[in-house]
DNA sequence: CGCTTTCGCTACGGGTCGTAGCGTAACTGT
DNA sequence: ACAGTTACGCTACGACCCGTAGCGAAAGCG
C-alpha cells in the first residue's frame, strides 16, 4: 500500500512515517485545488513541508503517488449487514457514491485510470490497492445473501467468479459514470432505483439460469 | 463539434478544413503512442504537418483538442434494429465495447473526463459531443421496445427521463468499467450476461412499479 | 563514538507551455 | 489588377516543471 517499502534495514536513520502521511494528505489537497493535470510534485512537496528530493526517494512519479493518496479514501469502505441483499447493495452504493462526491477522489481517480491504460505496472497497483478492495464487498454481500437464502448457494466456481465480476462492473461502473460523466448526484433515490433493477436482474437470472450469469 | 467556428467571415483566407482533419488524426495517433499525459501539442502539430501556432489558433488547449479527436470515434455509433430489446441492447453494448477497445479511445477518454471534474466548460463540451450522442441510443432503443410492446408505452415524463438516465449510466458505466478498470474484454459472452441481468431488471421493474424506476 | 541511511537544500540541463512578432499565402470585393 | 482581410508557417522567447546530482546536517544503531 505504501510507496515500495525497500526492505527496511535495521541500521541508519529510519524514514519518517509522519512525512508519508503529510505527503499523501498534501497530494489530496493539491488534487482538490489544482486537479490532476496541474498537480505538480514540487507543489506537493512544499505543501507537505518536505523537500522535493524526499518525495522522489519514495515514489517513482506522479502516477504512483496519486494512486496511494486516493487509495486511502477507500479504506472506510465496509459491507454493512442490514439484513437483506437489497439493503446491503444500497448501502454499498451510497458509501461508494459518498467517496466519489469528494473532489480529491473525482480529480485523482480518472487521472490514474487514464494513465493505467498504457502502464501495466500502474494498472496492477490500482487493482491491488483500490479495485480488489471494492470487489471484496461484492463477494461478501453475495455470501451473506446466499446464507440468508436470497441467492442459490453456490454454482460452478468459474461462473460464480464471472457473476461477481459482472455485478462489480455494473455497480461500480454505474456509480462512477453517474458521478463523473453524467455529473449528477448519486442520492438515495437513485441508489434505490439502481438497487431495484440490479436485484431483479440478479435474482431473476439466478432463478432462470438459461445460460451463465 | 469543431473547435469553435468563430463566425466564419466571408472575407480573408479561409481556414483549411484539411488541417482540422489532419490535426485530429494526429491527435489520435499521438494518443495511441504516447497516452494522455505524455501527449504534447508541439508533437501533434509536427505529426499533422502544421505549425504549433495554427493549433493554438483553433483550440484553447489540450483538453478541448482531445475531446474533439475522441468524439469522432463515436460517430459510428448506431442503434441496430434487431427485432428484440435484448438483441438491441447487446448490439449497442458490443458497439460501445468495440470503440473502447481502440487505444486512442482508452487513452483519451479518461483523461478528459478527469479534467472535466474541475472544468465546467469542458464537461459541457464532452456532454454535447460524446455523452448525449450515446444517450440517444438508449432513448431510441426504449422507444422501439415500447412500439413492440416489450415495455409499457409511456409513464410520467419525469420518471421516464430518470429511467433513461439510470439505464444509460448502467450500460455505459459497466462497459467502461469492464474495459478500462477491470481491463478485461467485453466480448459476446459478457455482453450477453450483462444484457440478461439488465433486461430482467428493467422489465421486472416495469411490471412491478412499486416505486419509480 | 564511528557507521549508515535519510533529510533539506541548491543547482542544473532538458523539455513543454503559450504567446508575440513577422513575412507570406489565400481569398474577397471593387 | 489592386487593396483589404484573414490564415498560415516560422522563429524566438520567458516561464514553468521535470528528474537528478551533490553537499552537509540530522537521526538512528552497535
Amino acid at each position: 500500500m505504501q510507496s515500495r517499502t525497500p526492505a527496511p534495514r535495521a541500521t541508519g536513520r529510519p524514514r519518517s512515517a509522519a512525512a508519508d502521511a503529510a505527503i499523501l494528505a498534501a497530494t489530496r489537497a493539491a488534487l482538490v485545488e489544482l486537479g490532476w493535470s496541474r498537480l505538480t510534485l514540487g507543489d506537493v512537496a512544499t505543501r507537505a513541508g518536505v523537500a522535493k528530493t524526499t518525495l522522489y526517494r519514495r515514489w517513482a512519479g506522479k502516477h504512483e503517488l496519486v494512486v496511494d493518496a486516493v487509495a486511502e479514501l477507500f479504506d472506510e469502505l465496509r459491507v454493512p449487514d442490514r439484513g437483506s441483499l437489497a439493503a446491503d447493495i444500497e448501502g454499498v452504493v451510497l458509501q461508494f457514491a459518498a467517496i466519489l462526491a469528494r473532489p480529491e477522489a473525482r480529480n485523482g481517480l480518472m487521472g490514474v485510470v487514464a494513465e493505467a491504460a498504457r502502464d501495466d505496472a500502474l494498472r496492477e497497483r490500482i487493482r491491488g490497492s483500490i479495485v480488489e478492495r471494492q470487489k471484496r464487498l461484492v463477494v461478501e454481500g453475495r455470501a451473506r445473501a446466499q446464507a440468508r437464502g436470497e441467492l442459490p448457494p453456490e454454482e460452478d466456481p468459474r461462473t460464480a467468479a464471472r457473476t461477481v465480476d459482472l455485478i462489480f462492473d455494473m455497480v461500480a461502473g454505474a456509480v462512477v459514470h453517474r458521478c463523473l460523466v453524467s455529473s449528477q448526484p448519486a442520492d438515495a433515490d437513485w441508489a434505490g432505483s439502481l438497487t431495484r433493477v440490479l436485484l431483479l436482474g440478479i435474482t431473476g437470472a439466478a432463478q432462470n439460469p438459461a445460460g451463465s450469469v
Side-chain angles (χ1 to χ4, degrees), chain A:
Chain A
M1 184 172 75
Q2 213 63 316
S3 48
R4 52 165 132 177
T5 321
R9 332 210 170 187
T11 175
R13 175 177 177 176
R15 283 193 173 175
S16 164
D20 262 33
I23 291 172
L24 292 176
T27 302
R28 287 187 289 269
L31 276 175
V32 173
E33 293 184 19
L34 305 173
W36 162 262
S37 66
R38 296 176 200 251
L39 181 143
T40 162
L41 292 193
D43 180 69
V44 170
T46 303
R47 289 172 188 262
V50 160
K52 191 173 63 167
T53 46
T54 297
L55 219 160
Y56 276 102
R57 290 188 188 104
R58 306 191 183 197
W59 282 276
K62 181 175 170 177
H63 308 336
E64 289 79 2
L65 173 62
V66 174
V67 171
D68 290 357
V70 172
E72 286 190 341
L73 297 175
F74 292 89
D75 285 345
E76 59 193 54
L77 268 182
R78 294 291 181 274
V79 144
D81 195 338
R82 301 188 176 183
S84 76
L85 178 54
D88 286 359
I89 294 177
E90 195 168 335
V92 169
V93 167
L94 287 176
Q95 278 189 59
F96 196 30
I99 294 177
L100 288 186
R102 304 177 65 170
E104 57 267 38
R106 303 164 65 92
N107 291 339
L109 203 55
M110 290 297 100
V112 295
V113 169
E115 286 311 308
R118 278 185 46 78
D119 188 332
D120 293 339
L122 183 63
R123 191 162 57 241
E124 201 53 39
R125 192 189 193 95
I126 295 174
R127 186 191 311 280
S129 60
I130 298 180
V131 178
E132 280 301 325
R133 214 177 308 178
Q134 298 170 5
K135 192 184 285 186
R136 290 193 60 169
L137 302 184
V138 177
V139 176
E140 289 185 28
R142 178 182 162 86
R144 289 186 185 172
Q146 288 174 333
R148 295 192 198 99
E150 293 182 281
L151 287 177
E154 188 60 30
E155 325 156 344
D156 173 37
R158 294 182 50 86
T159 66
R162 283 198 289 196
T163 302
V164 169
D165 287 348
L166 174 64
I167 302 303
F168 172 56
D169 284 328
M170 288 184 75
V171 173
V175 176
V176 170
H177 201 274
R178 167 84 173 182
C179 295
L180 300 184
V181 178
S182 299
S183 65
Q184 287 175 353
D187 52 17
D189 274 4
W190 184 84
S193 300
L194 171 64
T195 301
R196 173 186 305 275
V197 173
L198 204 62
L199 198 57
L200 282 169
I202 297 172
T203 57
Q207 291 166 2
N208 178 24
S212 62
V213 171

